[in-house]
Amino acid sequence: MQRLMDVNSLLQNTKMELTSNICESEVHKKPIQMMLVEGEEICPICALETENREIARIEKEKYDAFLNRKNHRYLEEKSIIKDRDLWNAAFGNFDAVIPEEIANKERALDAFKKYKEGEVFNTWLTGPPGAGKSHLGMSILRNLNESGQKDKKCVFIDFDEMLRLTRDSYDNKHSKFTENYFISLCSEVDYLVLDDLGAEIGSIAERIEEQKKASNFIVRILNAIGQARQDRPTIISTNLSRDLLEWVYEARTTSRLFKNTFLIKFEKTSDKRRKNIDF
């Protein structure tokens, strides 16, 4: 195998001498005389170019690995999660007993497999509180985060908490959680979970005078995210029906999120959070 040598080693090697042969490579702009280095005839320019390519390849691999690690940490470092138990959510510990739970777990697994194959669509997990929508959403996201080269940006966002942090930033100039921050984050990631869409409705309804202002604020954020993610998968969980979603957020906004919908619907599953409570 031809030895890779740097400039200094070529100049300092005392066992080298020029030969009468010329390098036959067509990439040189002028004839390059071959050189005998420790009994091996080489073209010094080709040897250096080969070494430079090898160095560049190694450095690129290091840089790619750095980016992969950085992207892989998005889920842990940038997610907004109120329920800390969701960090332990996985397909393996999803309590599937009744037929609906078993079928929805299989649909969630199917969604993960399709995403892994590169398909682009929006998964909607709908149904009553406590059915396991967030659990399955995180299970899909976590598996995507651990797949392949681990180079995808995955983020889980509690929608109500995102809105709260954004509002707080209006009075806190030191907060990073601005409207632009969240829109940019949700727009750029490869896979996004918007969890519990519609949970903020109760607090808005209690402030009738502020309802229009709050609604415009929410619609503006959701519209920006939906517009930016036309070609990227989004996973959304909600307790609201489609009709109510369209009424609350305007059909123009929700239509983007309903594009290429993969539905996982809970209708008969009871609240898992209350299974050990007996009154």
Side-chain angles (χ1 to χ4, degrees), residues 210-222:
E210 299 178 20
Q211 184 172 357
K212 183 177 181 180
K213 179 180 179 180
S215 296
N216 290 339
F217 154 73
I218 295 169
V219 169
R220 183 172 66 246
I221 292 179
L222 194 59

Side-chain angles (χ1 to χ4, degrees), residues 84-262:
R84 307 308 297 178
D85 289 340
L86 282 175
W87 286 114
N88 299 318
F91 287 123
N93 58 27
F94 180 76
D95 189 15
V97 178
I98 67 173
E100 180 179 79
E101 293 171 330
I102 296 171
N104 284 347
K105 178 181 177 180
E106 288 302 314
R107 281 189 65 77
L109 280 163
D110 191 29
F112 159 65
K113 293 173 183 176
K114 290 177 183 294
Y115 283 142
K116 189 177 177 182
E117 292 171 356
E119 294 190 36
V120 177
F121 56 91
N122 293 335
T123 297
W124 280 83
L125 296 124
T126 68
K133 303 183 300 295
S134 301
H135 188 123
L136 287 180
M138 173 59 91
S139 299
I140 295 170
L141 194 68
R142 181 181 299 282
N143 276 270
L144 290 168
N145 196 56
E146 299 300 321
S147 295
Q149 299 298 316
K150 299 183 180 180
D151 60 343
K152 302 301 182 183
K153 296 177 181 178
C154 300
V155 164
F156 188 106
I157 297 291
D158 183 296
F159 191 69
D160 188 36
E161 183 67 4
M162 178 186 73
L163 297 178
R164 185 191 70 78
L165 291 171
T166 303
R167 290 192 184 96
D168 287 348
S169 73
Y170 294 155
D171 298 321
N172 180 7
K173 64 179 182 180
H174 300 296
S175 174
K176 72 174 183 178
F177 298 119
T178 64
E179 183 174 329
N180 287 336
Y181 168 83
F182 279 119
I183 290 175
S184 176
L185 175 64
C186 292
S187 298
E188 72 165 346
V189 296
D190 298 288
Y191 299 102
L192 170 69
V193 169
L194 285 180
D195 189 50
D196 219 3
L197 184 64
E200 77 286 352
I201 289 178
S203 60
I204 294 173
E206 292 171 2
R207 301 196 306 273
I208 302 299
E209 294 180 357
E210 299 178 20
Q211 184 172 357
K212 183 177 181 180
K213 179 180 179 180
S215 296
N216 290 339
F217 154 73
I218 295 169
V219 169
R220 183 172 66 246
I221 292 179
L222 194 59
N223 188 58
I225 294 173
Q227 178 66 32
R229 297 195 62 80
Q230 290 296 290
D231 59 348
R232 297 189 180 196
T234 306
I235 302 164
I236 305 163
S237 73
T238 184
N239 302 332
L240 305 183
S241 67
R242 177 165 183 161
D243 288 343
L244 188 53
L245 286 166
E246 290 179 341
W247 181 81
V248 171
Y249 301 115
E250 301 178 2
R252 180 175 62 88
T253 299
T254 55
S255 65
R256 295 190 178 96
L257 298 174
F258 289 142
K259 182 179 179 181
N260 297 328
T261 297
F262 185 94

Side-chain angles (χ1 to χ4, degrees), residues 262-278:
F262 185 94
L263 181 62
I264 301 175
K265 187 174 184 179
F266 288 93
E267 296 179 295
K268 302 177 181 178
T269 302
S270 59
D271 190 340
K272 296 178 183 296
R273 292 181 292 232
R274 299 174 56 184
K275 64 180 181 180
N276 295 322
I277 301 177
D278 184 17

Side-chain angles (χ1 to χ4, degrees), residues 1-113:
M1 179 178 179
Q2 190 175 31
R3 185 189 303 115
L4 301 180
M5 309 181 71
D6 60 23
V7 175
N8 287 331
S9 65
L10 279 173
L11 295 176
Q12 296 174 4
N13 196 313
T14 57
K15 297 182 179 180
M16 65 182 183
E17 58 180 292
L18 295 175
T19 72
S20 58
N21 296 323
I22 301 297
C23 179
E24 297 179 353
S25 174
E26 297 179 355
V27 300
H28 304 317
K29 295 182 179 180
K30 61 181 181 179
I32 300 297
Q33 197 166 3
M34 300 290 282
M35 180 177 290
L36 195 64
V37 180
E38 295 184 347
E40 182 179 358
E41 190 177 45
I42 66 170
C43 169
I45 302 301
C46 289
L48 292 174
E49 290 176 350
T50 300
E51 182 177 22
N52 287 338
R53 285 194 297 271
E54 179 66 8
I55 292 173
R57 183 190 65 78
I58 293 172
E59 292 304 313
K60 184 178 185 303
E61 286 183 354
K62 291 180 180 179
Y63 182 68
D64 289 344
F66 164 76
L67 288 182
N68 288 359
R69 291 193 300 272
K70 182 179 178 181
N71 291 348
H72 182 253
R73 291 196 300 266
Y74 259 58
L75 180 59
E76 179 180 352
E77 295 179 352
K78 298 184 181 294
S79 292
I80 303 296
I81 299 178
K82 286 192 295 187
D83 183 357
R84 307 308 297 178
D85 289 340
L86 282 175
W87 286 114
N88 299 318
F91 287 123
N93 58 27
F94 180 76
D95 189 15
V97 178
I98 67 173
E100 180 179 79
E101 293 171 330
I102 296 171
N104 284 347
K105 178 181 177 180
E106 288 302 314
R107 281 189 65 77
L109 280 163
D110 191 29
F112 159 65
K113 293 173 183 176

